[in-house]
Protein backbone atom coordinates (compact mmCIF):
# COMPACT_ATOMS: atom_id res chain seq x y z
CA UNK A 1 0.00 0.00 0.00
CA UNK A 2 1.25 3.46 -0.86
CA UNK A 3 1.79 5.81 2.07
CA UNK A 4 0.47 9.29 1.41
CA UNK A 5 1.72 12.09 3.60
CA UNK A 6 -0.66 14.65 2.10
CA UNK A 7 -4.11 14.08 0.71
CA UNK A 8 -6.11 16.98 -0.70
CA UNK A 9 -9.73 15.97 -1.21
CA UNK A 10 -12.14 18.10 -3.28
CA UNK A 11 -10.83 21.32 -1.79
CA UNK A 12 -12.46 24.64 -2.69
CA UNK A 13 -11.71 28.08 -1.32
CA UNK A 14 -13.97 31.10 -1.74
CA UNK A 15 -12.74 34.48 -0.50
CA UNK A 16 -15.74 36.59 0.41
CA UNK A 17 -15.29 40.34 0.67
CA UNK A 18 -17.98 43.00 0.94
CA UNK A 19 -17.71 43.73 -2.78
CA UNK A 20 -17.01 40.37 -4.46
CA UNK A 21 -16.52 36.64 -4.05
CA UNK A 22 -13.38 35.05 -5.48
CA UNK A 23 -13.27 31.32 -6.27
CA UNK A 24 -9.58 30.95 -5.52
CA UNK A 25 -9.61 27.12 -5.59
CA UNK A 26 -12.22 24.89 -7.20
CA UNK A 27 -12.50 21.17 -6.38
CA UNK A 28 -8.78 20.44 -6.15
CA UNK A 29 -7.72 16.86 -5.33
CA UNK A 30 -4.31 15.19 -5.26
CA UNK A 31 -2.17 13.00 -3.03
CA UNK A 32 1.56 13.10 -2.35
CA UNK A 33 3.70 10.19 -1.32
CA UNK A 34 5.73 10.32 1.86
CA UNK A 35 9.11 11.78 0.95
CA UNK A 36 7.94 13.36 -2.30
CA UNK A 37 9.60 16.52 -3.56
CA UNK A 38 6.62 18.28 -5.13
CA UNK A 39 6.20 21.56 -6.99
CA UNK A 40 3.10 23.67 -7.42
CA UNK A 41 3.23 25.77 -10.58
CA UNK A 42 0.81 28.03 -12.42
CA UNK A 43 0.21 31.59 -13.56
CA UNK A 44 0.02 34.53 -11.15
CA UNK A 45 -3.33 34.60 -9.36
CA UNK A 46 -4.08 30.93 -10.12
CA UNK A 47 -4.35 29.97 -6.42
CA UNK A 48 -0.90 28.60 -5.52
CA UNK A 49 -0.39 30.61 -2.33
CA UNK A 50 -3.99 29.98 -1.34
CA UNK A 51 -3.32 26.25 -1.60
CA UNK A 52 -0.12 26.62 0.44
CA UNK A 53 -2.00 28.50 3.18
CA UNK A 54 -4.55 25.68 3.36
CA UNK A 55 -1.82 23.01 3.40
CA UNK A 56 -0.07 24.98 6.15
CA UNK A 57 -3.31 25.17 8.19
CA UNK A 58 -2.97 28.97 8.17
CA UNK A 59 -6.40 29.16 6.55
CA UNK A 60 -9.27 26.69 6.13
CA UNK A 61 -10.93 25.37 2.99
CA UNK A 62 -14.50 26.49 2.27
CA UNK A 63 -15.22 22.84 1.47
CA UNK A 64 -13.22 19.64 1.17
CA UNK A 65 -10.54 18.23 3.45
CA UNK A 66 -6.77 18.14 3.72
CA UNK A 67 -5.16 15.18 5.46
CA UNK A 68 -1.58 15.28 6.73
CA UNK A 69 -0.28 11.87 7.81
CA UNK A 70 -3.88 10.67 7.65
CA UNK A 71 -5.13 13.35 10.07
CA UNK A 72 -7.92 15.67 8.84
CA UNK A 73 -6.83 19.25 9.49
CA UNK A 74 -9.88 21.41 8.72
CA UNK A 75 -11.64 21.04 12.06
CA UNK A 76 -8.56 21.56 14.25
CA UNK A 77 -8.47 24.72 16.35
CA UNK A 78 -6.62 26.45 19.16
CA UNK A 79 -3.78 24.67 20.94
CA UNK A 80 -4.40 21.42 19.04
CA UNK A 81 -3.79 23.24 15.78
CA UNK A 82 -0.77 25.13 17.13
CA UNK A 83 0.77 21.90 18.40
CA UNK A 84 0.07 20.12 15.12
CA UNK A 85 1.65 22.92 13.10
CA UNK A 86 4.74 23.08 15.29
CA UNK A 87 5.27 19.32 15.28
CA UNK A 88 4.28 18.30 11.75
CA UNK A 89 4.97 21.31 9.54
CA UNK A 90 7.96 23.42 8.57
CA UNK A 91 7.76 26.67 6.63
CA UNK A 92 10.25 28.31 4.27
CA UNK A 93 9.37 31.70 2.79
CA UNK A 94 10.63 33.76 -0.12
CA UNK A 95 11.80 36.53 2.24
CA UNK A 96 13.40 34.07 4.75
CA UNK A 97 11.40 35.58 7.66
CA UNK A 98 14.17 35.14 10.22
CA UNK A 99 14.23 37.13 13.45
CA UNK A 100 16.88 39.77 12.79
CA UNK A 101 17.91 40.66 16.34
CA UNK A 102 19.19 37.18 17.26
CA UNK A 103 21.87 34.81 15.95
CA UNK A 104 21.45 32.10 13.31
CA UNK A 105 21.55 29.34 15.92
CA UNK A 106 18.96 31.08 18.11
CA UNK A 107 16.64 31.37 15.09
CA UNK A 108 16.89 27.61 14.64
CA UNK A 109 16.25 27.03 18.35
CA UNK A 110 13.00 29.01 18.34
CA UNK A 111 10.62 26.24 17.14
CA UNK A 112 12.08 23.93 19.83
CA UNK A 113 11.21 26.32 22.67
CA UNK A 114 7.86 24.62 23.24
CA UNK A 115 9.50 21.18 23.48
CA UNK A 116 10.54 19.72 26.82
CA UNK A 117 14.28 19.88 26.16
CA UNK A 118 17.19 21.25 28.12
CA UNK A 119 18.84 24.32 26.63
CA UNK A 120 22.09 22.54 25.78
CA UNK A 121 20.20 19.88 23.83
CA UNK A 122 18.39 22.57 21.82
CA UNK A 123 21.66 24.32 21.12
CA UNK A 124 23.46 21.18 19.94
CA UNK A 125 20.54 20.17 17.69
CA UNK A 126 20.46 23.67 16.12
CA UNK A 127 24.24 23.77 15.67
CA UNK A 128 24.31 20.25 14.23
CA UNK A 129 21.68 21.06 11.62
CA UNK A 130 23.33 24.33 10.65
CA UNK A 131 26.64 22.49 10.26
CA UNK A 132 24.97 19.92 7.99
CA UNK A 133 23.72 22.80 5.87
CA UNK A 134 27.25 24.22 5.58
CA UNK A 135 26.94 26.99 8.15
CA UNK A 136 29.17 25.68 10.97
CA UNK A 137 31.24 28.88 10.89
CA UNK A 138 28.21 31.22 10.85
CA UNK A 139 26.34 30.09 13.99
CA UNK A 140 26.86 33.31 15.95
CA UNK A 141 26.08 35.72 13.12
CA UNK A 142 22.78 37.55 12.84
CA UNK A 143 20.66 37.23 9.68
CA UNK A 144 21.68 40.71 8.48
CA UNK A 145 25.31 39.51 8.49
CA UNK A 146 24.51 36.57 6.19
CA UNK A 147 24.04 36.36 2.42
CA UNK A 148 20.58 35.60 1.02
CA UNK A 149 21.51 31.99 0.29
CA UNK A 150 22.90 31.56 3.81
CA UNK A 151 19.76 33.10 5.34
CA UNK A 152 17.61 30.69 3.37
CA UNK A 153 19.69 27.78 4.66
CA UNK A 154 19.11 29.00 8.23
CA UNK A 155 15.39 29.10 7.42
CA UNK A 156 15.59 25.52 6.10
CA UNK A 157 17.33 24.41 9.31
CA UNK A 158 14.58 26.13 11.30
CA UNK A 159 11.93 24.32 9.23
CA UNK A 160 13.61 20.94 9.84
CA UNK A 161 14.41 21.22 13.49
CA UNK A 162 11.31 19.51 14.90
CA UNK A 163 11.48 16.63 12.36
CA UNK A 164 8.33 17.64 10.46
CA UNK A 165 6.46 15.38 8.03
CA UNK A 166 5.87 18.21 5.61
CA UNK A 167 7.83 21.30 4.57
CA UNK A 168 6.02 24.08 2.73
CA UNK A 169 8.06 26.54 0.71
CA UNK A 170 6.40 29.40 -1.19
CA UNK A 171 8.89 30.69 -3.80
CA UNK A 172 11.92 29.70 -1.69
CA UNK A 173 14.35 30.71 -4.43
CA UNK A 174 12.52 33.87 -5.46
CA UNK A 175 15.03 36.23 -3.85
CA UNK A 176 18.14 34.23 -4.73
CA UNK A 177 20.56 34.23 -7.66
CA UNK A 178 20.69 31.12 -9.84
CA UNK A 179 23.57 29.49 -7.96
CA UNK A 180 22.11 29.96 -4.44
CA UNK A 181 18.69 28.94 -5.77
CA UNK A 182 20.12 25.72 -7.21
CA UNK A 183 21.79 25.02 -3.87
CA UNK A 184 18.48 25.35 -2.05
CA UNK A 185 16.83 22.95 -4.51
CA UNK A 186 19.67 20.45 -4.13
CA UNK A 187 19.29 20.66 -0.34
CA UNK A 188 15.55 20.03 -0.61
CA UNK A 189 16.14 17.01 -2.82
CA UNK A 190 18.68 15.66 -0.35
CA UNK A 191 16.40 16.22 2.64
CA UNK A 192 13.51 14.39 0.95
CA UNK A 193 15.68 11.38 0.22
CA UNK A 194 17.58 11.15 3.48
CA UNK A 195 14.85 12.07 5.96
CA UNK A 196 11.74 11.00 4.07
CA UNK A 197 10.20 14.46 4.56
CA UNK A 198 7.64 15.59 2.00
CA UNK A 199 8.43 19.00 0.52
CA UNK A 200 5.99 21.17 -1.43
CA UNK A 201 7.44 24.17 -3.17
CA UNK A 202 5.77 26.90 -5.19
CA UNK A 203 7.93 28.13 -8.03
CA UNK A 204 7.66 30.33 -11.10
CA UNK A 205 10.80 28.75 -12.54
CA UNK A 206 9.96 25.75 -14.78
CA UNK A 207 13.67 24.86 -14.79
CA UNK A 208 13.55 23.98 -11.10
CA UNK A 209 10.67 21.53 -11.45
CA UNK A 210 12.88 19.00 -13.24
CA UNK A 211 14.30 18.13 -9.80
CA UNK A 212 10.81 17.33 -8.48
CA UNK A 213 9.10 13.95 -8.56
CA UNK A 214 5.57 15.35 -8.51
CA UNK A 215 4.46 18.54 -10.26
CA UNK A 216 1.00 20.01 -9.75
CA UNK A 217 -0.18 22.53 -12.30
CA UNK A 218 -2.85 24.97 -11.10
CA UNK A 219 -4.81 27.11 -13.52
CA UNK A 220 -7.70 29.44 -12.65
CA UNK A 221 -8.08 27.73 -9.28
CA UNK A 222 -8.32 24.23 -10.75
CA UNK A 223 -5.91 21.35 -10.93
CA UNK A 224 -4.91 21.51 -14.58
CA UNK A 225 -2.40 18.69 -14.82
CA UNK A 226 -0.21 16.42 -12.68
CA UNK A 227 3.21 14.99 -13.53
CA UNK A 228 4.45 12.09 -11.43
CA UNK A 229 7.97 10.73 -11.70
CA UNK A 230 8.14 8.47 -8.67
N1 LIG B 1 -7.37 37.33 1.29
C1 LIG B 1 -7.92 37.36 0.06
N2 LIG B 1 -9.14 37.94 -0.13
C2 LIG B 1 -9.70 37.97 -1.36
N3 LIG B 1 -9.14 37.42 -2.46
C3 LIG B 1 -7.93 36.84 -2.33
C4 LIG B 1 -7.25 36.78 -1.07
N4 LIG B 1 -6.07 36.12 -1.26
C5 LIG B 1 -6.02 35.81 -2.56
N5 LIG B 1 -7.13 36.22 -3.22
C6 LIG B 1 -7.46 36.02 -4.64
O1 LIG B 1 -7.38 34.63 -4.89
C7 LIG B 1 -6.77 34.37 -6.16
C8 LIG B 1 -5.57 33.45 -5.98
O2 LIG B 1 -4.55 34.15 -5.27
P1 LIG B 1 -3.16 33.49 -4.85
O3 LIG B 1 -2.45 34.44 -3.97
O4 LIG B 1 -3.43 32.14 -4.31
O5 LIG B 1 -2.42 33.36 -6.26
P2 LIG B 1 -0.95 32.83 -6.63
O6 LIG B 1 -1.12 31.71 -7.58
O7 LIG B 1 -0.19 32.59 -5.39
O8 LIG B 1 -0.33 34.07 -7.42
P3 LIG B 1 1.21 34.61 -7.48
O9 LIG B 1 1.92 33.71 -8.43
O10 LIG B 1 1.05 35.99 -8.06
O11 LIG B 1 1.77 34.60 -6.11
C9 LIG B 1 -6.44 35.73 -6.75
O12 LIG B 1 -7.45 36.08 -7.66
C10 LIG B 1 -6.46 36.66 -5.56
O13 LIG B 1 -6.87 37.95 -5.92
MG1 LIG C 1 1.56 33.45 -4.51
Amino acid sequence: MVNYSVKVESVSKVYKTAAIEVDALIDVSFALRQGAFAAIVGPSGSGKSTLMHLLGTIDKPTSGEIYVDGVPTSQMTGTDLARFRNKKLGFVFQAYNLVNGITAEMNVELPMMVNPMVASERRSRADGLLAELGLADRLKLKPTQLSGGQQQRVAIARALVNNPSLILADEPTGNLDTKSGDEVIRLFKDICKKQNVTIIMVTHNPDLTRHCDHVIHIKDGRLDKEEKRY
Side-chain angles (χ1 to χ4, degrees):
M1 203 183 85
V2 179
N3 269 333
Y4 293 111
S5 66
V6 177
K7 206 160 182 202
V8 174
E9 220 170 67
S10 305
V11 161
S12 296
K13 178 69 183 177
V14 184
Y15 289 114
K16 286 196 177 81
T17 65
I20 49 161
E21 281 190 14
V22 178
D23 289 309
L25 291 174
I26 305 157
D27 197 23
V28 172
S29 300
F30 61 86
L32 301 179
R33 279 194 197 177
Q34 186 73 45
F37 181 18
I40 298 176
V41 299
S44 180
S46 56
K48 304 182 296 297
S49 292
T50 300
L51 181 55
M52 292 297 266
H53 294 154
L54 300 181
L55 288 162
T57 68
I58 308 292
D59 201 357
K60 293 193 184 299
T62 309
S63 61
E65 186 59 89
I66 294 178
Y67 300 86
V68 177
D69 286 350
V71 178
T73 59
S74 74
Q75 301 300 320
M76 262 189 247
T77 54
T79 47
D80 283 347
L81 183 59
R83 205 173 294 133
F84 173 86
R85 214 181 274 152
N86 185 263
K87 197 172 175 313
K88 292 281 186 183
L89 307 179
F91 296 89
V92 177
F93 303 92
Q94 176 170 357
Y96 324 128
N97 292 22
L98 299 170
V99 180
N100 275 325
I102 59 174
T103 62
E105 66 185 355
M106 285 164 83
N107 267 279
V108 179
E109 285 176 46
L110 278 181
M112 291 187 279
M113 290 301 180
V114 298
N115 304 349
M117 285 169 109
V118 288
S120 59
E121 207 181 317
R122 267 200 299 268
R123 175 65 40 103
S124 72
R125 170 126 182 93
D127 291 358
L129 260 175
L130 284 167
E132 273 179 49
L133 298 183
L135 293 169
D137 55 353
R138 297 288 191 278
L139 303 177
K140 308 288 180 194
L141 295 187
K142 293 181 179 164
T144 48
Q145 299 168 316
L146 298 171
S147 73
Q150 290 167 343
Q151 288 185 63
Q152 197 58 305
R153 278 184 276 154
V154 175
I156 292 169
R158 181 186 57 185
L160 279 170
V161 83
N162 282 339
N163 286 322
S165 322
L166 175 62
I167 289 183
L168 297 160
D170 199 343
E171 299 263 3
T173 64
N175 283 1
L176 301 176
D177 60 32
T178 311
K179 185 167 166 281
S180 312
D182 284 347
E183 264 167 33
V184 164
I185 299 300
R186 212 166 316 126
L187 273 175
F188 276 161
K189 216 170 158 177
D190 230 44
I191 291 163
C192 284
K193 267 208 221 94
K194 284 200 194 128
Q195 308 189 28
N196 211 27
V197 181
T198 305
I199 298 183
I200 309 180
M201 149 180 97
V202 168
T203 180
H204 272 113
N205 184 349
D207 241 22
L208 297 181
T209 64
R210 72 193 145 85
H211 299 285
C212 297
D213 36 35
H214 197 143
V215 185
I216 289 153
H217 296 255
I218 302 284
K219 198 174 162 188
D220 298 330
R222 293 178 197 274
L223 189 136
D224 182 42
K225 180 169 84 174
E226 267 186 282
E227 295 168 69
K228 295 181 200 176
R229 310 172 191 133
Y230 292 115

